[in-house]
Amino acid sequence: MKYIDEFRNPKIAHKLVDEITRKVSREWTMMEICGGQTHTLVRYGFEEMLPKQINLVHGPGCPVCVTPLEVVDKAIEIASMPDVIFVSYGDMLRVPGSQKDLFHVKADGGDVRVVYTPMEAVKLAKANPEKKVVFFGIGFETTAPPHAMAVLAAKREGLKNFYLLASHVLVPPAIRTLLDAPNNCVQAFIAPGHVCTVVGFDQYESLAKKYKVPIVVAGFEPLDLLEAIHMLVMQLEEGRCEVQNQYARSVTRYGNLPAQRAVEEVFEVCDRKWRGIGEIPLSGMRIREEFAAFDAERVFGLEDRTVEESKECIAAQVLMGLKKPLDCPAFGTRCKPEMPLGAPMVSPEGACSAYYQYKRHLAPSALPVDTHVGTD
Amino acid sequence: MSTKTELTITCPAPIPAGDKILLGHGSGGKLSAQLVERVFLPAFGNPTLDQLNDQATFAIDGVRLAMTTDSFVVKPLFFPGGDIGSLAVHGTVNDLAMGGAQPLFLSVAFILEEGLPMESLQKIADSMHRAADAAGVQIVTGDTKVVEQGKGDGLFINTSGIGVVPNGLMLGSEKAKPGDKIILSGSIGDHGIAILAQREGLEFETTIESDTAPLHKLVDAMLGTGAAIRCMRDPTRGGLSSSLNEIATRSQVGMMIEEEQIVVREEVRGACEMLGLDPLYVANEGKMISIVEAAAADRVVAAMRENVYGREARVIGTVTEKHPGTVVMRTAFGTTRIVDMLAGDQLPRIC
C-alpha cells in the first residue's frame, strides 16, 4: 500500500534497532503520549525488538480512557431520553459509566448510533427535525477542530436540534502534571503527531526547556516510532533536551491555523477532571457561552456530579507511566476487554487493552496463558 | 490536585454482567461464545451438539449425514459481489462442506418486512435459485412469515441444509495436533469490507466485492488428495481470528501464524487502515481454513490452487504444543503478538 508500506519495512526497522542498540549505554525510560502510538508499539512487538535498556511506558493519551466518569454518565442519561438520537465514535460505546455503558442503553431501546465524523451527526439533525441529535465530542486537540466545525455548521444552517456533549482534554498540561509528580520516572517523550498536526509543536519547546526533557513529535507507523526512539536515545545519550519533529510530513511548527481558529471560536480552556487521574488545571476545553444553545451539558441541565471510582484498578499509575498493565493484579483475570474494570481496558487505544490483545503471552504465569512463546 | 502529591490510584467500577442481549452477542466473538456456553449448551446439550462444529454430523442406518442451519440478517440486502440470497445459499453449503459433506438439500425460511418491494424479493429468490443450481443443491422446503413495518430490515433468511459425509471421514475442531499445518484458501476481509463500504457509503478507487462463493468443490479437491485433514472452517463472522481461536481452544493446542503469509487485498487493507479495523477480525464468505498433517500440506495446497476459489491458497502457520488455546502471530518484524478473539464487534477507533 503506497505511503504505508514504506513505513513498515522490516529491513529498515532492523537497521534502526541496530543503531539504537549501538548507541544506548544505560537504561532510559520514555513515554509515548498517544493511544494510537501505544497501539502500534504493542501490536508490532517493540519490546521484543528494542534493547532491554529502553523502557517504554504508556501515557494518558487515550481520549476514551481519560473521559471522566461523570461525562460518560451524562452521555448515558442523555442517550436514554426518548426524543434523542445519540451519536458517538464507536469505541465510546463500551466505556463503562458508573452503572452501564452505551451498548446497554442501546439494548434498553435508546437510539445510539456510531459515526466516523461529527458532520454525520449534523446531517442526522437536519434529516430528523423532530429529534434532538446529540454528538458525543470527546478527544484531545485532534478531534476539537471537527467538533468545532460541526457546531459552526449547525449554527450556519440554523439547526435548533443539534447539540455537542463536549469533553476535550489538552496534552501539555498532562505532561506538566506528570513531570511535576515526585514519583515521575519519565525521561523523554514521544509527542503525539496528530495533536501536533493541529496545534504545532512550539508549546512543547517550553516544556523541554523547563523540565530538561527531550521530546520528539512522531507519527504512528512502526518506522515513525522507531525513528523517534532513535532520536530520543541520541538526545539522552548526548545530554540534549530539544524538541525534534520526526513527523514533518504532517506537522509544522505552528500547526493548522484555520483549525485552531475554529477551535478558538467555539471552545475555551477550562479545568478538567481526567478519569483515573483527577483534576488537572486548565487541561480541558468547554463550549463558549455564545454557543450555549449547542452545548448539551447546558441545554439538558445536567448537574455536575462526582462519582466514586473503583479502588482496585491501577489506571492512574498506568496512565501516568508509573506502572505497566502487567503489574496490575486484576489484569487479564478480573479485568478483561469484555468486562473492563477500568478505562484503559476499554478502548483498543488503551494500554491495558493493547497488552491484553497482543502481549498477554509475556505476562507472569499467574495468568491463564503460557508465559513464553518460543519460535517453532 | 496539588502537583506535589503522589499520584493516587483510581479507576471506574465494573459494569455488572448484562441481563440483556447486546449486539455484541451476535458478533461471533467472546460474547457469542458465552451465550452458547451459558444458555444453549446447558439447555440443549447432547453428544452431537457438544462437538460445536459449524455442522452436526451423525449416522442414520449407516449413512453419515451432516446438518446445519444459519440465519442471514445482512444490511444492505444487495451488495457488490452478491446479495442476501446468494449469501444464504453459499453460507449453508459451506457449513456442510466444512464437515466434509456433499451438500444435497436446503430449506429456506423467509421473515419478510411489511412494505418490502416485491421486486426485491423476486431478485433475491432468483439469485438463490442460481446459487443453488451452481452449487448442485436443491431447495426442497420453506416457510414465509411477515412482520410489521419497522420490525425487520426488509427481510431475514434462515437456511438449513443436509448433506452426506463420506464413510470414515471424521473432521472436528478438536482434532488439531502439534506439528500440523494451517492452510488458508485466499485473501481475508473482502466480504466484511464490501458490506461496510456499501453501508457507510464509502467510496474507494475500486469497488470492493464480497467473496461469497460455494466451497464444496474446493473441499472435494482437498479430500481427493487422501491427506489427513483434521478440520475445516469457513471464517465468517469474527473473521480468521475467531475460527483459529475456536480450533486452538477445542484442540487445546497453540498456533503460530505468519503475518507475511496472510493475503489481504490492497483495497481491503486500505479500507481497514482508514477505518481503524484489523482484517484478521473481518468477515469472509468464500474462504476456508484447514488444519492438515504437515507431510501432506504442500499436496493439499497444490490441489486447492487448481480450484478457482483456492488460487491463493497457502500455508499460513503451524499448530504447536506451546501456549495451548492461544493463537500467536509472528509479525513482519519478527516479533510476536497474540491474535485474540474479540469480546464483541470490532469498533472503529477514534484516532
Side-chain angles (χ1 to χ4, degrees):
Chain A
M1 223 167 5
K2 201 163 166 44
Y3 309 126
I4 292 269
D5 289 341
E6 291 90 332
F7 296 96
R8 297 182 184 177
N9 180 324
K11 274 203 188 80
I12 302 175
H14 290 303
K15 227 173 88 186
L16 276 165
V17 170
D18 288 346
E19 281 176 31
I20 292 167
T21 309
R22 262 201 308 276
K23 188 77 193 172
V24 77
S25 69
R26 46 162 288 194
E27 281 202 12
W28 298 111
T29 297
M30 49 186 76
M31 174 186 275
E32 87 288 349
I33 299 290
C34 176
Q37 290 170 337
T38 306
H39 196 82
T40 303
L41 292 173
V42 180
R43 177 174 175 172
Y44 288 92
F46 271 52
E47 278 192 29
E48 286 174 65
M49 257 193 291
L50 290 166
K52 290 270 173 287
Q53 297 101 314
I54 306 282
N55 181 29
L56 291 171
V57 293
H58 313 297
C62 160
V64 173
C65 302
V66 300
T67 300
L69 194 49
E70 292 81 357
V71 176
V72 179
D73 278 357
K74 283 175 193 172
I76 286 164
E77 192 172 329
I78 294 171
S80 305
M81 295 175 181
D83 56 343
V84 163
I85 299 175
F86 194 83
V87 189
S88 171
Y89 296 122
D91 46 4
M92 281 311 291
L93 267 65
R94 276 200 312 124
V95 178
S98 51
Q99 300 298 324
K100 53 177 164 181
D101 58 26
L102 285 164
F103 270 128
H104 285 81
V105 173
K106 208 166 145 58
D108 291 340
D111 190 348
V112 180
R113 305 188 194 186
V114 171
V115 296
Y116 281 97
T117 83
M119 289 314 282
E120 291 177 64
V122 176
K123 274 191 207 150
L124 275 172
K126 262 172 85 170
N128 297 278
E130 76 294 350
K131 293 273 190 185
K132 295 176 179 151
V133 176
V134 182
F135 183 75
F136 198 4
I138 64 133
F140 282 82
E141 293 94 326
T142 335
T143 51
H147 298 164
M149 305 276 198
V151 169
L152 292 169
K155 187 180 177 183
R156 232 185 358 259
E157 307 208 11
L159 293 178
K160 298 275 182 271
N161 65 330
F162 172 84
Y163 311 95
L164 182 68
L165 178 61
S167 177
H168 280 287
V169 278
L170 303 168
V171 173
I175 297 185
R176 264 193 298 276
T177 302
L178 220 132
L179 290 169
D180 280 331
N183 46 358
N184 167 54
C185 59
V186 183
Q187 296 158 301
F189 285 94
I190 298 172
H194 290 155
V195 167
C196 294
T197 302
V198 175
V199 299
F201 58 84
D202 64 324
Q203 51 182 323
Y204 287 82
E205 307 223 295
S206 59
L207 281 174
K209 199 177 287 178
K210 180 181 170 191
Y211 292 99
K212 299 192 175 40
V213 284
I215 298 175
V216 173
V217 180
F220 296 77
E221 291 300 323
L223 292 191
D224 286 326
L225 288 160
L226 276 173
E227 192 172 26
I229 291 165
H230 181 244
M231 288 159 112
L232 286 174
V233 167
M234 298 291 283
Q235 285 205 48
L236 289 163
E237 292 286 344
E238 292 164 12
R240 292 181 290 124
C241 41
E242 301 156 12
V243 175
Q244 288 175 292
N245 181 12
Q246 180 279 332
Y247 201 33
R249 66 183 186 275
S250 176
V251 175
T252 58
R253 172 176 293 273
Y254 298 110
N256 179 336
L257 297 173
Q260 290 171 30
R261 277 195 293 273
V263 171
E264 182 62 24
E265 187 177 350
V266 176
F267 295 110
E268 62 188 0
V269 172
C270 63
D271 298 345
R272 174 74 70 197
K273 191 172 168 185
W274 293 48
R275 187 172 194 163
I277 296 173
E279 176 128 333
I280 302 180
L282 303 179
S283 68
M285 285 191 288
R286 66 172 171 230
I287 297 175
R288 288 182 184 277
E289 182 66 43
E290 51 267 44
F291 292 95
F294 299 96
D295 183 351
E297 276 189 295
R298 289 181 173 107
V299 171
F300 288 86
L302 293 169
E303 306 302 334
D304 258 349
R305 67 197 76 192
T306 51
V307 186
E308 276 300 303
E309 297 184 358
S310 146
K311 287 282 180 277
E312 181 177 29
C313 160
I314 59 165
Q317 295 183 356
V318 170
L319 294 172
M320 302 305 269
L322 300 169
K323 289 205 168 165
K324 291 206 178 184
L326 298 180
D327 301 332
C328 174
F331 176 86
T333 50
R334 287 182 304 284
C335 182
K336 297 177 181 182
E338 61 267 34
M339 193 191 61
L341 264 179
M345 190 56 103
V346 170
S347 161
E349 312 264 324
C352 298
S353 169
Y355 267 69
Y356 186 85
Q357 211 178 329
Y358 300 133
K359 289 287 146 199
R360 267 196 327 281
H361 58 303
L362 305 176
S365 54
L367 289 180
V369 288
D370 199 37
T371 55
H372 174 72
V373 176
T375 47
D376 294 313
Chain B
M1 186 172 70
S2 149
T3 52
K4 283 298 168 199
T5 53
E6 294 260 326
L7 290 164
T8 49
I9 307 169
T10 54
C11 200
I15 295 293
D19 56 353
K20 285 204 171 116
I21 291 294
L22 304 176
L23 274 176
H25 283 114
S27 66
K30 286 182 189 168
L31 285 172
S32 303
Q34 277 173 16
L35 267 196
V36 171
E37 272 164 42
R38 293 176 191 177
V39 180
F40 300 134
L41 284 180
F44 312 137
N46 59 62
T48 309
L49 176 69
D50 294 353
Q51 295 166 26
L52 290 182
N53 288 316
D54 288 342
Q55 69 302 109
T57 51
F58 44 85
I60 297 180
D61 291 343
V63 180
R64 284 186 54 75
L65 295 176
M67 176 181 175
T68 188
T69 187
D70 210 339
S71 298
F72 297 84
V73 295
V74 65
K75 193 168 59 170
L77 301 176
F78 302 92
F79 45 83
D83 56 62
I84 190 170
S86 57
L87 192 68
V89 171
H90 296 155
T92 302
V93 163
N94 291 347
D95 279 349
L96 292 170
M98 294 306 120
Q102 183 58 44
L104 294 173
F105 302 108
L106 305 191
S107 72
V108 175
F110 291 101
I111 296 174
L112 308 173
E113 185 186 12
E114 181 187 26
L116 174 76
M118 197 59 84
E119 185 197 358
S120 301
L121 182 61
Q122 189 62 58
K123 266 170 77 177
I124 288 163
D126 291 346
S127 160
M128 292 183 84
H129 172 201
R130 280 195 306 275
D133 277 0
V137 295
Q138 290 180 305
I139 296 170
V140 292
T141 182
D143 176 57
T144 309
K145 295 284 186 293
V146 180
V147 295
E148 287 170 13
Q149 197 155 65
K151 296 279 164 69
D153 282 327
L155 90 161
F156 300 138
I157 298 180
N158 170 277
T159 40
S160 297
I162 56 171
V164 175
V165 185
N167 269 334
L169 184 65
M170 298 291 270
L171 299 166
S173 55
E174 73 293 346
K175 296 194 189 308
K177 294 185 180 63
D180 289 347
K181 294 294 175 191
I182 304 159
I183 300 173
L184 174 62
S185 65
S187 64
I188 57 168
D190 304 40
H191 175 76
I193 294 297
I195 297 289
L196 194 68
Q198 179 86 356
R199 193 186 299 162
E200 301 289 337
L202 302 171
E203 287 177 14
F204 301 104
E205 279 176 22
T206 48
T207 302
I208 297 169
E209 292 208 344
S210 166
D211 55 356
T212 175
L215 300 174
H216 56 302
K217 293 280 197 306
L218 178 62
V219 170
D220 282 349
M222 295 164 70
L223 295 175
T225 61
I229 296 177
R230 320 287 187 203
C231 101
M232 301 189 274
R233 274 289 168 101
D234 62 334
T236 52
R237 257 184 336 178
L240 181 66
S241 87
S242 286
S243 294
L244 292 177
N245 273 287
E246 280 167 21
I247 299 168
T249 303
R250 296 267 301 136
S251 295
Q252 273 309 292
V253 293
M255 288 183 183
M256 176 61 85
I257 56 174
E258 306 290 333
E259 182 173 36
E260 291 186 299
Q261 296 305 319
I262 297 169
V263 181
V264 185
R265 286 197 199 301
E266 195 70 1
E267 56 271 32
V268 172
R269 271 180 71 201
C272 283
E273 283 296 328
M274 211 175 84
L275 301 169
L277 301 173
D278 186 336
L280 291 169
Y281 300 99
V282 178
N284 312 278
E285 290 290 349
K287 296 299 183 311
M288 58 176 292
I289 48 173
S290 54
I291 311 294
V292 179
E293 61 169 335
D298 292 344
R299 202 162 80 234
V300 173
V301 168
M304 289 173 81
R305 289 186 177 177
E306 297 292 305
N307 180 289
V308 62
Y309 300 125
R311 293 259 183 271
E312 293 176 297
R314 60 179 67 187
V315 171
I316 60 161
T318 307
V319 177
T320 161
E321 74 281 352
K322 295 173 183 146
H323 49 83
T326 302
V327 179
V328 175
M329 180 158 88
R330 199 185 327 278
T331 69
F333 292 161
T335 55
T336 57
R337 65 172 253 210
I338 288 184
V339 176
D340 199 7
M341 210 163 176
L342 290 187
D345 288 298
Q346 220 178 172
L347 297 169
R349 286 162 45 199
I350 170 170
C351 63

